[in-house]
Amino acid sequence: MEATKIASFDRISELKAFDETKTGVKGLVDSGVSQIPRIFHHSTVNLANHKPLSSDLLHLTTIPTIDLGGRVFEDAITRKNVIKGIKDASEKWGFFQVINHGVSLELLEKMKNGVRGFNEQSPEVRKQFYTRDFSKEFVYTSNFDLYTSQAASWRDTFMCYMAPNPPKPHDLPPICRDVMIEYSKEVMNLGEFLFQFLSEALGLNTNHLNDIDCSMGLRMLCHYYPPCPEPDLTIGTSQHSDSSFLTVLLPDLIEGLQVRRDGYWFDVPPVPGALIINIGDLLQLITNDKFVSLEHRVLANRATRARVSVACFFTTGVRPNPRMYGPIRELVSEDNPPKYRETTVKEFAAQRSARGLDGTSDLLHFKI
Ligand SMILES: O=C(O)CCC(=O)C(=O)O
Ligand SMILES: [Fe+2]
């Protein structure tokens, strides 16, 4: 009993000491640590990966890649095939990569360089943005759930709501402000396009999901995963599903992302120039489980340089939004009654903020 008390007391002081450096995991790496502090130690159970139990899964290697043909479709058959690909992927994986998505590769590189640039500028500049006050326009922090999670993750993040009320440029750090604004506009366009195809994939009118404001809000999270000296002891991002409607993820060429299907963690190998699209919990809720929001995680970075990623969540998050969401009427029937109660995006997102990434689905709280 006494030992537990001492251990938990130490842990809190260590978390605080780390937090008060205001320079995140990058600061630890810059100080030359060769062993990771124990606040980052995850249990081995959490990190293990067992072979798939079902032999049906043995032939599967990873999530599908879909060619969006620059978003221009000259013939109806190609368009139909793309929608079919998106439908299958959304039903089985809730995850797919897209190529020829219409966002310039140069902009993708510029965005990733912006994330690197912010995290690699002098600690004095970074510190000015470091906060745990999530009501601020721009938040730079390490582990939003530092004090509530069982173990910290080897990652720093900066975040900002980019729509519907974009930040004023002067609220954003000079080093990445222009690219954040430009990139988020492109992601909004891509998102509106994807929601059209997802609507058709569900047998709804093309504009259904856009009309019910699925593409209204955009929250951008820019992650920085410094190289980890003991990658087998910790994780980059612990297992979770996204609480958004949809997520557009700009990955790095350094691997690490894994998606869990039927109990097995599948690697998502980098595809040059691709964006990763995944269905979030809110889309699973309004489609009454037709589309699935799968858990995923990022392993600690084994490479010698930092891994970066930019996750753009289509959601208004905890910002005011009175609209109620429940299973879409056209998608339920007597044989397929609603599985979830109605909720607001804010109520849904508040679950996540309160609990952190503890690996349990927020959807359970809304099950009828
Ligand atoms: O960094 C990544 O590749 C994934 C990040 C992620 O899953 C998230 O931000 O929700
Ligand atoms: Fe995620």
Side-chain angles (χ1 to χ4, degrees), residues 155 221 223 225 237 240 242 247 249-251 257 276 296-298 307-311 313:
R155 174 187 93 252
L221 260 64
H223 301 299
Y225 301 88
T237 297
H240 69 282
D242 292 351
T247 304
L249 177 72
L250 167 58
L257 178 66
I276 297 170
H296 48 286
R297 67 180 183 184
V298 180
R307 173 186 189 273
V308 298
S309 71
V310 179
F313 300 98

Side-chain angles (χ1 to χ4, degrees), residues 21 89 104 155 162 167 173 179 196 248 250 271 275 280 291 310 331:
T21 65
S104 90
R155 174 187 93 252
M162 302 303 290
V179 77
Q196 288 183 346
V248 174
L250 167 58
V271 172
L275 288 165
F291 287 171
V310 179
L331 303 181

Side-chain angles (χ1 to χ4, degrees), residues 34-44 46-47 151-152 154 228-235 300 302:
S34 57
Q35 290 187 318
I36 66 169
R38 58 188 162 171
I39 53 169
F40 290 92
H41 286 194
H42 279 249
S43 78
T44 44
N46 265 351
L47 301 172
W154 202 254
C228 182
E230 294 180 297
D232 293 326
L233 300 184
T234 190
I235 198 128
R302 295 173 178 273

Side-chain angles (χ1 to χ4, degrees), residues 45-105:
V45 184
N46 265 351
L47 301 172
N49 195 13
H50 303 289
K51 280 268 159 281
L53 298 174
S54 142
S55 56
D56 305 353
L57 287 177
L58 289 173
H59 69 281
L60 293 173
T61 49
T62 189
I63 63 172
T65 297
I66 298 173
D67 187 338
L68 294 185
R71 288 188 242 160
V72 186
F73 298 96
E74 254 133 47
D75 65 292
I77 297 178
T78 321
R79 189 174 182 280
K80 231 173 144 179
N81 283 340
V82 170
I83 293 176
K84 167 117 185 28
I86 290 180
K87 177 174 185 279
D88 285 349
S90 303
E91 287 175 358
K92 297 192 180 99
W93 288 98
F95 261 88
F96 49 97
Q97 311 220 34
V98 289
I99 52 169
N100 295 318
H101 40 63
V103 185
S104 90
L105 301 188

Side-chain angles (χ1 to χ4, degrees), residues 127-293:
K127 275 183 189 175
Q128 295 166 18
F129 294 97
Y130 192 93
T131 182
R132 247 165 236 291
D133 175 356
F134 294 100
S135 66
K136 287 201 168 161
E137 283 287 334
F138 182 90
V139 171
Y140 162 55
T141 200
S142 187
N143 287 259
F144 78 97
D145 54 355
L146 186 68
Y147 294 101
T148 48
S149 63
Q150 285 190 353
S153 300
W154 202 254
R155 174 187 93 252
D156 302 323
T157 302
F158 66 79
M159 55 194 113
C160 187
Y161 283 95
M162 302 303 290
N165 302 307
K168 312 242 171 343
H170 68 253
D171 288 326
L172 301 174
I175 197 161
C176 52
R177 84 169 44 130
D178 292 346
V179 77
M180 285 176 76
I181 294 169
E182 190 185 351
Y183 179 69
S184 59
K185 281 186 191 150
E186 291 292 321
V187 171
M188 289 295 284
N189 286 337
L190 174 62
E192 282 165 21
F193 168 86
L194 289 168
F195 280 118
Q196 288 183 346
F197 274 36
L198 289 163
S199 300
E200 289 193 38
L202 290 163
L204 302 168
N205 286 334
T206 310
N207 290 323
H208 194 110
L209 295 174
N210 285 314
D211 286 347
I212 61 168
D213 290 341
C214 291
S215 53
M216 185 169 86
L218 192 73
R219 183 154 192 254
M220 187 190 257
L221 260 64
C222 299
H223 301 299
Y224 186 82
Y225 301 88
C228 182
E230 294 180 297
D232 293 326
L233 300 184
T234 190
I235 198 128
T237 297
S238 50
Q239 73 182 77
H240 69 282
S241 56
D242 292 351
S243 47
S244 54
F245 288 103
L246 192 72
T247 304
V248 174
L249 177 72
L250 167 58
D252 203 334
L253 289 179
I254 296 172
E255 69 276 355
L257 178 66
Q258 296 185 318
V259 174
R260 187 153 86 144
R261 181 162 167 195
D262 295 310
Y264 185 71
W265 290 103
F266 287 86
D267 290 320
V268 178
V271 172
L275 288 165
I276 297 170
I277 311 298
N278 67 288
I279 306 292
D281 293 345
L282 281 167
L283 201 53
Q284 176 165 341
L285 185 149
I286 65 171
T287 64
N288 211 32
D289 287 351
K290 182 130 179 73
F291 287 171
V292 291
S293 167

